Amino acid sequence: MKRKECVKVVVRARPLQNKEIEEGRKRIVEVDTTRKEIIIQNIKGDGNEALRTFVFDEVFDMNSQQEQVYHNTALPIVESVMDGYNGTVFAYGQTGTGKTHTMEGKNDPPHERGITPRTFDHIIKVIEGTPNIQFLVRCSFLELYNEEVRDLLSPNHLTKLELREKPEQGVFVKDLSKIVVKSVAELNEWLKAGRANRKVGETKMNQESSRSHSIFTLTIESSEFGADQQQHIKSGKLNLVDLAGSERQSKTQAVGVRFEEAININLSLTTLGNVITSLVDGKSQHIPYRDSKLTRLLQDSLGGNTKTVMVANIGPADYNFDETMSTLRYASRAKKIQNNPKINEDPKDTMIREFQEQINKLKDELARKAGGVIGPNGQIQKIKEQVIEVEDEDELTELQQKAQKEKADLEQQIMQQRRQSTLQEEEKKQLQLKLKEKQKLEHNLKKEQDNMQKKLQELQEQLLHGDKMKEESRQKEKDLLKARMELEERSQQARRQAEELAKKEAMQMEQEQKYNSTKEEIEAKTQKLNNLIQKIKELKSQSQEQTQFRQRQKEELIEDNRESLRQLNLMNLIIEHFIPEDEEKRLKEKLEFSEEQDDWVIKEYEANPLKKPASAFFFRRAICNFSKMAINFGDANPRYRPENILQTDLDLPQRMTEDFSHEPSQKIQEVLNVALNEDEEEQLMIQNEKQANVYIEDPSIINKEAILNPPSNPNKVRLQSAIKKNARRPQSGFKK
């Protein structure tokens, strides 16, 4: 029977920021680490409930350190993953509350490192202290940006990936990069590379706000020989999830792209909240995992085969009261989610099994080509000849006679070869050619063996082994961690028992309580009644707060929906006025709805293979009509005459002018005459329109100097040449 296990929920409160201190914000959150309680002042209540208290598995106050958070939250999950379980650690909360700081932190100084880099150190440390087990570690890093899955470790990290689902594998991302790693340095490098590709933006509440959800996954496969001398493989998967924070547009002042990002973030987080509510509510028959890609990716972590820890981050300032209360409510509900974790033993699709099969195959191939066998240390051992010792003298004499006879025959052959003259030249060349071919064959064989040996070494290096020297310290650390977890479990159990015992004692005292007088009994029962009335008021206040919160959520979703509709109407308007109907119809025919991706995709194009045209009658190959016509006109070689299969006519632009059919005025006609006149002298015409035109019949009477150097008289006279009968245009009054 599978053992059910509740989701572990821890809450971390960050300190007040400098900006909040400068604005005079008040801290309304108190953390009781002893009783594991979060106490928040109800600043929006009606006075019936001044304080609200929430109890969790672990709480961290404003002075908590990164190492403390890691050891109390993620370390037990990491140890379970090394044993073959699936594990998930995810940070949840409002934007700007320290989720990324909790999950990743800073590398400098070292004590500021978060859960993810500390997990890297611990995994490699465990492997180094386990010498009898082979390990294979792979990592992947993805983000969910605007409901699009992207691979942060791929060179094309902007490419949209697809979500797929298989019964034996669950939900997975198709074509997601999975990198084999061998050290802490490699893991940190891949984390740094993926972080650089992640979407980050600035809002009013956070200068480096994560605009996407990210999941860093570590797959750890182990192989060891059991007591039955059979190889046993385990596979554990650890998801380190950094969720983008929920945000309100009124506080973040997000516009444009940032506003669209906020809409998608809030929708996915709302779906996550609905999934948590449905899992907790026993009446729900449908869990809305498929309403968001985030919940599909976390489907196994919420109610599935995974050990899960939820780190809820909250802000202590008074103006974040609504968001803090929302986070605490969701966290309180998540405690009731039950998972069914189990060890993944001997899975079929492990890569470590493939590596071991390839290693054994390469060893056998190398041994076959080298004429030997593979030794226990992986080196090739040649097969040596054995020398047989013979003790019988008759057999020894017979062997000696046989050897002498072979020696004589060999000497005779040598003598015959010496008697022969030198070999012919062609025989020498043939022998040299055979020798070169043999040397080339041996060189290629050696090169092939070196390549196989190199590949074998690379495969063996990717499988990690422990060190005997570190085995003892690893065992001590494991025993210490086990004892600490058992102690913590016992303390929690003792606390629960003490609370239950206190309740039972209180009830028993109430039942056995005796009163000295009727007045005392009335006062005691009146006090009980007042306490019950107070509790009823508190419950009503809580119910009213939840109703108001849901109403605000509903209004925000309605506003987001209105914004989406405005964007949709804008797109429809653009399509209606700027895209032709034929083109719109052609695009619609190419689209189809994919149930797997939950989106519209372009249909796969089924290309019809082009068939080669049949040969023409009486011709060796197919020819075009143009070539046939050329043959009819006597062209002997029309083979390279192509047909004009392209339409080369230019698309002339639409005419934007029209012809002028009326008589032009005198002023327009003069301008046209000047514009059409080829002589430069016409540009010297006087611009005074009020003076009368003077026509000169004899140009010789004009004084050229007076025209070129006119007197300073404001009254100027326009000169216009006489129009000759045979002249095409008016002529100037003088010639240069």
Side-chain angles (χ1 to χ4, degrees), residues 365-372 380 382 449:
E365 187 71 16
L366 280 170
R368 185 181 63 80
K369 292 189 176 182
I380 300 174
K382 292 285 185 179
Q449 289 180 352

Side-chain angles (χ1 to χ4, degrees), residues 702-711:
I702 298 175
N703 187 358
K704 295 182 180 180
E705 294 294 335
I707 295 176
L708 294 175
N709 299 314

